[in-house]
Amino acid sequence: MKETDLTDILYISYYWPPSGGPGVQRGLKFCKYLPQFGISPTVLTVDEKQASYPLLDETFTQEVPQGLQVYRTATSEPFEYYKKLSGKKEIPYSGFANQQSKDTLVDKLFKFVRGNLFIPDARVGWNKHAVRKAEELLQSGKYKAIVTTSPPHSTQLIGLKLKQKYNLPWIADLRDPWTNIHYYDQLLHTPIAKRLDEKYERQVLELADAIVVTSEDTKRLFLNKPASIDARKIHVIPNGYDGADFVYQSKPPKNEFLITYTGTITEQYNIDVFLKVLAHMLSVHNEINYKLRFVGKVSEGMKKRIEKAGVLGICEFIPYVPHQEAIKYMMESTVLFLAIADVENVFANVPGKLFEYLASNKPIIALGPVHSDMDRIIDECGAGRLFHYTAYDLMLDHLNQWSKAWKINPNLDLPYINHSRFSREALTEELAKLVLKLVRK
């Protein structure tokens, strides 16, 4: 397809390389594959030198397509003050995963300030800079649509303002719930702040030409809002995997039964039944060298629970690593472990790493709510099994069967997983069709 035949869009995202973490991957992969389907994106993002990125991954910078126009702007955010007041080198992760089990007075103060003076979030200071640059770009008349992706959900207010001024087709991509996010109550909103946040959420849901969410349950959450939302304009485009990222061959260890978990895990992730099952397996299968490896951020509270369960001695903790290295750890595992937080509205949570787990062709053992979107996807793909947080006997039997199979052959890789519909190319094609449909209207 000729470059002149492509439809130009403005893609607005706070998170962009060199930011790390799962959030940046969605926009990066969309922009990588959109030109294949008739769309030429221009990216508007924040200056990486001023951005408040909890994680950095320079390897993502290498994936930015050559020739992609990326505009960066200044920002005005409070996180430097937080670091000075708290004496901490890190800013809070999503869900405060890098916070201690008990907040200090400074932590509580910051959460209150963040929840009541920075609405909808503490990165809202980027908006005025981003709007100014977006208006400059839109003056050219070349852009036929706008896509905003969040979190931070303040980015959606940029799209709202541009929609009201230019009336271009606007797609709001919400990777997570907004006022139903599982850590929302930790932000200590006053009633006035909560009403204002709900108002912003409602305006975005009502005025965007299309809403994109990552799961069916998130769609149901938004449709239950007291707002005039046409269900037909909410589209589910889940996260996915990029086949180009899987350059490593599978190498499960022969001398140990290695279970790997990648990503963040905190006390909100109720993995007690899994730890109890694993402790039992150690006592009845002393001929098997079990190993539990965590790759990513593990809260101190979770480490204490692991120690209490009696399995700390078989654990390996590897801090956050670049994305490609995380995939390498997956491919060098026997099975992969996945859990989602045991909190309200957990049905809407489908972690992005699930799809990379699928692409690895490794058996998955997961903890979460049965009949959820994550449960359905694992079952439909034949990729393992999800257990409820209390399903001790079922999980024990399942892991026991895997252990017996491992003693016969330590390679438990699955022969085939039907996951092609979750490839980044297939998902980007869905987004491209939606964009072109709105532009043609």
Side-chain angles (χ1 to χ4, degrees), residues 170-172 205-206 208-213 216 219-220 222-224 227-237 430 433-435 437-438 441:
W170 167 38
I171 297 173
L205 295 175
E206 290 180 342
D209 296 280
I211 305 291
V212 174
V213 295
E216 291 289 346
K219 178 177 179 176
R220 283 189 279 272
F222 286 139
L223 287 177
N224 285 331
S228 303
I229 310 168
D230 185 347
R232 292 172 298 180
K233 79 173 186 179
I234 302 185
H235 306 264
V236 179
I237 302 180
E430 291 184 39
K433 287 179 179 177
L434 177 59
V435 171
K437 181 180 178 182
L438 292 174
K441 276 187 177 182

Side-chain angles (χ1 to χ4, degrees), residues 162-387:
L162 297 175
K163 175 65 180 179
Q164 292 169 332
K165 185 169 182 177
Y166 295 94
N167 199 31
L168 286 169
W170 167 38
I171 297 173
D173 176 39
L174 292 105
R175 305 187 304 271
D176 289 330
W178 190 324
T179 57
N180 296 106
I181 194 72
H182 62 85
Y183 54 82
Y184 195 73
D185 289 343
Q186 295 184 46
L187 297 173
L188 309 176
H189 291 99
T190 61
I192 294 175
K194 194 169 185 178
R195 282 197 298 271
L196 180 59
D197 204 11
E198 290 170 346
K199 174 189 173 184
Y200 287 151
E201 179 185 42
R202 185 172 63 251
Q203 286 179 317
V204 169
L205 295 175
E206 290 180 342
L207 296 178
D209 296 280
I211 305 291
V212 174
V213 295
T214 58
S215 72
E216 291 289 346
D217 278 304
T218 303
K219 178 177 179 176
R220 283 189 279 272
L221 277 177
F222 286 139
L223 287 177
N224 285 331
K225 300 287 179 182
S228 303
I229 310 168
D230 185 347
R232 292 172 298 180
K233 79 173 186 179
I234 302 185
H235 306 264
V236 179
I237 302 180
N239 288 305
Y241 68 91
D242 189 347
D245 291 339
F246 285 79
V247 297
Y248 302 104
Q249 296 295 315
S250 175
K251 293 182 179 179
K254 296 180 180 179
N255 61 343
E256 60 185 9
F257 192 106
L258 176 54
I259 305 169
T260 297
Y261 179 99
T262 67
T264 297
I265 189 164
T266 72
E267 297 92 304
Q268 288 186 315
Y269 292 68
N270 181 4
I271 65 168
D272 290 349
V273 69
F274 171 73
L275 297 175
K276 185 179 178 182
V277 165
L278 195 54
H280 181 81
M281 299 302 291
L282 292 175
S283 66
V284 298
H285 287 292
N286 52 21
E287 76 282 9
I288 298 178
N289 293 320
Y290 292 101
K291 184 176 181 178
L292 178 57
R293 179 169 62 191
F294 293 92
V295 182
K297 182 66 180 180
V298 181
S299 71
E300 290 303 315
M302 177 55 71
K303 288 181 179 179
K304 290 177 181 177
R305 284 166 64 174
I306 292 170
E307 183 177 18
K308 185 178 180 181
V311 297
L312 186 63
I314 65 164
C315 288
E316 179 184 14
F317 299 99
I318 299 172
Y320 178 82
V321 297
H323 180 234
Q324 278 297 319
E325 196 171 337
I327 291 178
K328 188 172 185 288
Y329 280 119
M330 291 180 203
M331 301 305 290
E332 294 175 348
S333 304
T334 308
V335 302
L336 299 176
F337 175 48
L338 181 62
I340 54 177
D342 186 10
V343 293
E344 192 177 0
N345 299 318
V346 71
F347 273 76
N349 191 347
V350 181
K353 66 190 166 194
L354 167 62
F355 304 101
E356 294 190 330
Y357 277 23
L358 295 176
S360 74
N361 279 13
K362 300 286 180 179
I364 299 170
I365 185 167
L367 273 173
V370 294
H371 307 306
S372 63
D373 282 352
M374 189 168 82
D375 185 14
R376 175 182 55 79
I377 291 169
I378 293 173
D379 184 59
E380 288 179 357
C381 292
R385 187 166 175 184
L386 178 142
F387 298 90

Side-chain angles (χ1 to χ4, degrees), residues 44 73-74 127-137 162:
L44 176 59
T73 77
N127 285 24
K128 61 182 179 182
H129 304 276
V131 167
R132 189 182 306 124
K133 185 62 180 179
E135 290 179 340
E136 177 187 321
L137 293 170
L162 297 175

Side-chain angles (χ1 to χ4, degrees), residues 118-129:
F118 299 92
I119 303 172
D121 52 67
R123 291 171 177 84
V124 70
W126 178 52
N127 285 24
K128 61 182 179 182
H129 304 276

